[in-house]
Amino acid sequence: MTISRGFPQGSVLSPLLFNIFARKLLKQCTSSTFQFADDTTLATANPSLSAVAESLTASFYVVKEFCDSHELKINPEKTQLIVFKKPGKSIRDDFQLTLDNCTIKPHKIVKLLGVPLDQHLTFRPHIDNITNKCQGLLGILARATPYLTKELLKLIYTALIRSHMEYCSLIFSSAAKTHLKKLDVIHASYIEYHVMPMLIYYCCFSNWKILVRVRTIPSWTPNTQYQYFGI
C-alpha cells in the first residue's frame, strides 16, 4: 500500500492532529463508533445476525466514503470482525461480511489497543498474557534483588510489572475471580520474594534498633495504591 500523506508515526502531536483531521467521522456513522487516533471500531447490537451484518456493512461504506473524500485508505488486512455472545449460543459457519470485495470472517479473539478480547468477554486471554509477561519480569527482578535498593526495586516493579496489570484494568475488573486471582499471585510474589527478604535483612544486620511495621498483604485491586511496610 503506497502512502503519500499522513502524520509522522511516534510524534507527540500526531494523534491530536489526526483526531482534528477526522473529527467529523463520528457524526456520519449510523452505528456506535469508537475512535482512537487511526483505529476506528464499529459496533452494533441486535439479536439477529443478519441485522448486525446489514448495520455494520452500511456503517463501513459510510466510513469508506469519508475516507475517500479525505484521501485516506482503509487497510483491509487489519480489519477484523468479532461477535460477542453467550457461551451457549452458536454462530452460523457461513456468517461473514463482504466489504469492498474483501471477505471478513469472525474471529474468536481480536486485539483492540493491545487488549485481546474474546467472544465471551471473559478477558482470560488478556489476563494470561499479563501473567506470562509479569512472571518473566519477576524472574529478572529476582536476579537483580541482591544488587538494588528497596526503593529501586519498588520503582522497577511499579514501572515494568504493575503497569501491565493496571493497563485497562477498569475494563477487565469484572472478570471472574479465578482469572483475577492470577494477578493476585503476581502481586503476592513480589511481596514474598522482594519485600519480605529486605525487611529481614534490615532487622538482622542494622546496627540501630528499629521498629518494623508489616501490614497485611492486600489483594491486587485495579487503580489502588498500597504502602506495604514502613521502617
Side-chain angles (χ1 to χ4, degrees):
M1 179 180 293
T2 303
I3 301 175
S4 58
R5 58 186 57 80
F7 301 103
Q9 187 173 5
S11 173
V12 177
L13 290 177
S14 293
L16 175 61
L17 294 175
F18 187 87
N19 287 337
I20 295 174
F21 181 73
R23 66 188 184 278
K24 296 182 179 179
L25 173 61
L26 299 179
K27 297 180 180 179
Q28 298 184 12
C29 294
T30 55
S31 62
S32 300
T33 307
F34 307 93
Q35 184 179 6
F36 182 84
D38 59 343
D39 288 326
T40 303
T41 302
L42 304 176
T44 187
N46 197 292
S48 172
L49 281 178
S50 300
V52 169
E54 292 177 3
S55 177
L56 291 178
T57 301
S59 297
F60 171 81
Y61 284 107
V62 171
V63 173
K64 185 178 184 301
E65 182 180 356
F66 175 88
C67 292
D68 292 341
S69 63
H70 287 72
E71 299 184 357
L72 297 173
K73 292 184 178 180
I74 298 176
N75 190 348
E77 296 180 357
K78 293 186 177 181
T79 302
Q80 295 179 312
L81 170 66
I82 186 171
V83 178
F84 297 112
K85 64 181 185 63
K86 295 181 179 180
K89 193 172 184 178
S90 60
I91 302 176
R92 300 195 318 265
D93 295 334
D94 60 344
F95 179 73
Q96 60 186 24
L97 296 182
T98 303
L99 306 175
D100 200 19
N101 298 324
C102 181
T103 301
I104 302 176
K105 295 183 178 181
H107 295 266
K108 293 183 177 180
I109 299 176
V110 299
K111 184 174 288 188
L112 179 62
L113 299 179
V115 179
L117 300 175
D118 61 285
Q119 59 184 353
H120 305 315
L121 283 179
T122 63
F123 297 103
R124 178 178 179 179
H126 179 58
I127 294 177
D128 287 344
N129 288 343
I130 294 176
T131 303
N132 293 333
K133 287 181 181 178
C134 292
Q135 285 177 344
L137 293 171
L138 278 176
I140 297 174
L141 195 61
R143 292 190 290 270
T145 297
Y147 311 102
L148 300 177
T149 63
K150 61 176 183 178
E151 290 80 9
L152 280 177
L153 288 173
K154 183 179 179 181
L155 179 62
I156 294 173
Y157 171 76
T158 303
L160 299 182
I161 299 177
R162 192 178 178 88
S163 60
H164 285 293
M165 296 193 295
E166 289 188 342
Y167 179 67
C168 293
S169 57
L170 288 178
I171 296 177
F172 65 81
S173 60
S174 60
K177 292 183 179 181
T178 53
H179 300 324
L180 295 178
K181 185 66 177 179
K182 301 174 184 178
L183 301 179
D184 284 339
V185 172
I186 297 295
H187 177 64
S189 297
Y190 167 73
I191 301 298
E192 181 179 358
Y193 296 108
H194 302 291
V195 175
M196 293 305 180
M198 299 198 68
L199 288 177
I200 296 173
Y201 171 82
Y202 281 111
C203 290
C204 296
F205 298 99
S206 176
N207 294 326
W208 297 91
K209 185 178 180 180
I210 58 177
L211 174 65
V212 178
R213 295 181 292 108
V214 181
R215 298 179 58 183
T216 302
I217 301 174
S219 298
W220 179 85
T221 305
N223 299 326
T224 303
Q225 299 294 328
Y226 299 116
Q227 181 180 357
Y228 304 117
F229 61 89
I231 297 179

